[in-house]
Amino acid sequence: MNKLSLSTVPKTGLAGLKENWRSDLQSGFLVFLIALPLCLGVSIASGFPPSAGIISAIVGGLLVSRISGSYLTINGPAAGLIVVILAAVQALGEGDVMAGYRYTLAAIVVSGSLQMLMGRFRIGQLSSFFPASVVHGMLAAIGLIIIATQSHVMLGVTPDPGSLFSTILQIPHSLFHLKPDIFLISFLGLLILIVWPLVGSRIPAPVIVVLVGMVFVWHFQLDQVTAANGSKFLVSISDDFSADFYFPDFSKLFSVAFLEAVISISLVGSLESLLSATAVDKLDPYERSSDLDRDLTAVGIGNMVAGLMGGFPMIAEIVRSSENINNGAKTAWSNFFHGLLLLLFIVLFPGLINSIPLASLAALLVYTGYRLASPKAFARVMDVGKEQFLMFVVTIIGVLAVDLLAGVALGIIVKLAIDLVRGVWFSNLFKIHFTIQQQDNDTLVVKLLGSALFSNFLPLKKALAGLESGKTVIFDFSEGYLIDHTVMEFIHDYRQNYEARGGQCYKIGKALETFSDHALAARLMTADDRK
C-alpha cells in the first residue's frame, strides 16, 4: 500500500467523524460481516455462550474505540484466547460449565484491571521481554490446540471429556463416526476459505462460509434434527439480548486456579494486543503510531466492562484490523461502527444467528488455527536460526504438555541458557551497557558495550524513543559481544520508522559469526575476553 502524504492525515474525534464517516462506515460494515461469525465461533469454542463474543466486540467498538491510543485497530475476541479461556472454564468450573463461565468472567474483570494498571504505569513495553520465537511458538501451539479441538465439531462428533492429548487421540474415532451432513458443511467451509481469496470479491470469505452453511441447514433440516434429539449443531442465543448478560462470580478470587487464569488471560491478551497494534501501525497508510500504553489501558477498561456483562476478553485483533485498513478505513470510527452494527444485528435478527451451523464456525477456527501453526510458520523460525527453532519447539511442547504459562516460561529459560552457553556474562543477561553521544549537530552515535538481548534491551528501546527526529543515528556494534534476534528485529523496525520521519540510520561493526543466513539472525561481534 502506498504511503500517503502526511498533510492528508485524517482528523480525529468528532471532526474525524464528520470528515470520514462514509469510508469508516463502509469499512465498519465489512468488518462487522467478518466479526459476527468469528465472535460466535471463538466464544463457543472457549466454553462461553455464543453471545459473549458479540458482547466483547460491541464493547470494543462502542467504548474502547473512543478511548484507545490506536487509529485503525479493531477490538474484539480472538482465536488466540480460546485456549486460556477454555482452560479457565474447565479448571474453575470443575465440570460445571456455567459455574466455570461465571468464575472466568471474574478472572476477566481482574485481568482487565491489571491491563489498565499496566497501561497507566506505562509498562506496556514489557511485552518486549518475550523473545520473538517464544511468542511465535505460543501462537503455533494455540493453533494446534484449536485444530485438535475443533476437528471434532467439524465431524459432528462430541469427544469424551479428558486432557488435550485425549482429545487428539479421539480424532480417528470421530473420523469413523462422522456425520456426513455436518462434515459436508465444514468441508465446504474450508474449501471456500481456501479458494475465495482467488476470486477477488469484496464480500468477505467468512460471510460466504456462513451463508452456504445456513443453506445446508435448511436443506438437511438440521434445525428440526436439533429440536428432536437435543443434539447441538446450531448456534443458540436468546431472542432477548439482555437475557444473555451474566454477572461474574468472584467467590474463587483467592484460589490458585483463579490466579493462574488471571495471569494467563493478562499475558496472552496483552501480548497479542500490543503485537497486533504494532503490526497495524506498519500497515497504516498515514504512518501514524499508536500510543501502546494508552491502548493497553483502553483494552483493560474494555475487558473489565465486558467481563461484568458476561463478555469474552478482547484484544486488538490483527486479521480484522488489516481488513479494516484494506477496506479504506481512516479513523477509529470504523471500529465504533462495527460494534454498533453488531449490536443492532443481535437485537433485531437473533433468529438468523440461530440458523448458523457450528460446523461452519468450526471451519473458520480450524482455518485460523492452521494459519497460526502452518508449515510456513515453522520454516520462518528455522530460517532465523537453529536456536530460534529450538525455543519455538520447546515452547510448543511446553504449552501442549502442561499449559500456556509453562510453555512460555520454558521457552524463555532455554533462551537464557543458550545466551549463557554462548558466553554472555550472567550480569549482562538483564543489564545492558550502551552510550549515546552526539558526534556533531546532526549525528548521534549509539555505542553498544557487551550484549544486547531480549532480556535487557528495554532501556535501549526507551532511550532511542526519545531521540530527536531528522538526525543521523549510527549504531556502533564494534565493541558489542552478542546481539540476539529480538534486538536485531527491533533495530530493523526502528530504522524503518526513524527514516520514515526524515532521519537516517546506519550500523557499523562487522560480525565475527552469525548463526544463520537470515539478515536479522543473532550474531557475535567480538571474541569472549573473559580468559
Side-chain angles (χ1 to χ4, degrees):
M1 183 179 293
N2 294 327
K3 298 297 182 180
L4 303 177
S5 170
L6 297 183
S7 62
T8 64
V9 172
K11 299 174 183 177
T12 57
L14 293 177
L17 174 63
K18 183 178 179 180
E19 178 185 73
N20 303 292
W21 70 269
R22 289 182 180 85
S23 57
D24 286 341
L25 178 58
Q26 175 181 298
S27 180
F29 174 73
L30 293 172
V31 172
F32 145 73
L33 294 177
I34 300 172
L36 177 62
L38 290 175
C39 289
L40 295 169
V42 167
S43 192
I44 294 169
S46 305
F48 271 31
S51 56
I54 296 180
I55 291 172
S56 171
I58 291 172
V59 173
L62 299 186
L63 172 62
V64 177
S65 72
R66 300 298 84 224
I67 59 176
S68 73
S70 58
Y71 297 92
L72 296 174
T73 56
I74 299 295
N75 299 100
L81 288 166
I82 290 175
V83 174
V84 292
I85 297 301
L86 181 60
V89 171
Q90 292 173 341
L92 292 170
E94 299 178 350
D96 187 333
V97 176
M98 182 52 67
Y101 164 53
R102 295 188 62 208
Y103 291 135
T104 304
L105 289 177
I108 293 169
V109 173
V110 176
S111 66
S113 65
L114 287 178
Q115 290 175 313
M116 182 186 69
L117 291 173
M118 287 171 63
R120 293 290 293 174
F121 287 100
R122 307 191 69 79
I123 56 177
Q125 292 187 4
L126 283 180
S127 61
S128 302
F129 182 78
F130 298 90
S133 295
V134 171
V135 175
H136 293 317
M138 177 190 76
L139 295 175
I142 289 171
L144 291 172
I145 294 171
I146 291 171
I147 292 171
T149 55
Q150 291 302 300
S151 294
H152 297 281
V153 182
M154 287 183 62
L155 299 170
V157 180
T158 302
D160 294 330
S163 65
L164 172 62
F165 287 105
S166 171
T167 302
I168 294 173
L169 292 173
Q170 291 180 67
I171 291 178
H173 175 270
S174 295
L175 280 169
F176 282 111
H177 296 84
L178 63 83
K179 292 181 170 53
D181 46 2
I182 301 298
F183 177 69
L184 177 62
I185 293 173
S186 56
F187 174 77
L188 288 175
L190 275 181
L191 189 62
I192 291 167
L193 290 169
I194 295 169
V195 174
W196 195 252
L198 304 177
V199 177
S201 172
R202 291 292 301 274
I203 303 174
V207 176
I208 305 301
V209 171
V210 169
L211 290 177
V212 169
M214 293 170 71
V215 169
F216 278 93
V217 165
W218 170 79
H219 176 72
F220 292 126
Q221 298 183 327
L222 286 179
D223 52 343
Q224 297 179 24
V225 173
T226 299
N229 60 20
S231 299
K232 189 172 182 183
F233 298 126
L234 306 178
V235 173
S236 177
I237 65 169
S238 303
D239 291 336
D240 180 3
F241 181 44
S242 62
D244 287 322
F245 291 174
Y246 290 89
F247 193 76
D249 186 339
F250 290 90
S251 59
K252 289 195 174 183
L253 184 63
F254 300 105
S255 68
V256 174
F258 188 90
L259 180 61
E260 289 180 352
V262 169
I263 294 174
S264 296
I265 296 168
S266 300
L267 171 64
V268 179
S270 300
L271 266 177
E272 281 209 74
S273 200
L274 292 169
L275 291 172
S276 296
T278 302
V280 171
D281 284 349
K282 296 178 182 178
L283 301 175
D284 186 351
Y286 300 99
E287 300 180 354
R288 293 168 290 189
S289 296
S290 298
D291 182 337
L292 295 181
D293 290 309
R294 180 178 173 183
D295 205 50
L296 186 58
T297 300
V299 169
I301 293 172
N303 281 332
M304 291 173 65
V305 173
L308 289 170
M309 297 172 63
F312 196 88
M314 72 187 68
I315 66 165
E317 207 279 331
I318 182 63
V319 175
R320 273 158 269 169
S321 299
S322 60
E323 285 298 318
N324 188 40
I325 294 172
N326 292 336
N327 294 331
K330 299 292 192 299
T331 73
W333 285 105
S334 60
N335 189 11
F336 177 88
F337 286 131
H338 123 273
L340 179 62
L341 290 168
L342 280 169
L343 174 61
L344 293 174
F345 193 86
I346 197 171
V347 170
L348 298 176
F349 307 109
L352 284 177
I353 295 177
N354 287 330
S355 300
I356 298 174
L358 298 181
S360 294
L361 302 181
L364 292 173
L365 294 177
V366 167
Y367 183 73
T368 301
Y370 176 79
R371 292 174 66 179
L372 291 174
S374 68
K376 287 184 179 179
F378 284 74
R380 280 195 299 267
V381 177
M382 186 65 181
D383 286 344
V384 180
K386 293 179 180 178
E387 86 286 356
Q388 301 295 321
F389 191 71
L390 175 61
M391 289 185 288
F392 178 78
V393 171
V394 166
T395 303
I396 291 174
I397 293 173
V399 173
L400 296 179
V402 187
D403 59 32
L404 188 138
L405 293 179
V408 171
L410 281 172
I412 291 175
I413 290 170
V414 168
K415 175 64 168 70
L416 294 174
I418 290 172
D419 289 341
L420 289 172
V421 169
R422 286 177 169 170
V424 176
W425 292 39
F426 186 81
S427 60
N428 201 180
L429 279 180
F430 302 103
K431 186 175 181 180
I432 192 171
H433 304 280
F434 67 93
T435 61
I436 299 180
Q437 296 180 339
Q438 187 155 345
Q439 192 175 78
D440 54 47
N441 290 337
D442 296 317
T443 305
L444 297 167
V445 179
V446 181
K447 190 176 185 65
L448 176 66
L449 307 168
S451 299
L453 314 167
F454 83 96
S455 52
N456 69 12
F457 86 107
L458 275 180
L460 175 63
K461 184 175 182 179
K462 291 180 179 178
L464 292 177
L467 295 184
E468 184 180 351
S469 298
K471 304 288 186 180
T472 297
V473 178
I474 298 174
F475 290 95
D476 184 355
F477 296 152
S478 58
E479 294 185 29
Y481 177 62
L482 175 66
I483 306 173
D484 74 5
H485 166 63
T486 300
V487 177
M488 290 299 300
E489 193 172 54
F490 160 70
I491 291 173
H492 173 74
D493 292 342
Y494 178 83
R495 177 179 180 176
Q496 287 187 323
N497 293 333
Y498 193 77
E499 291 182 346
R501 301 198 308 269
Q504 291 182 311
C505 288
Y506 301 99
K507 290 181 289 186
I508 59 174
K510 185 175 181 180
L512 290 179
E513 179 184 2
T514 56
F515 295 101
S516 81
D517 294 331
H518 194 278
L520 304 180
R523 59 203 59 212
L524 287 172
M525 302 302 299
T526 57
D528 189 348
D529 62 356
R530 287 181 292 178
K531 296 180 180 179

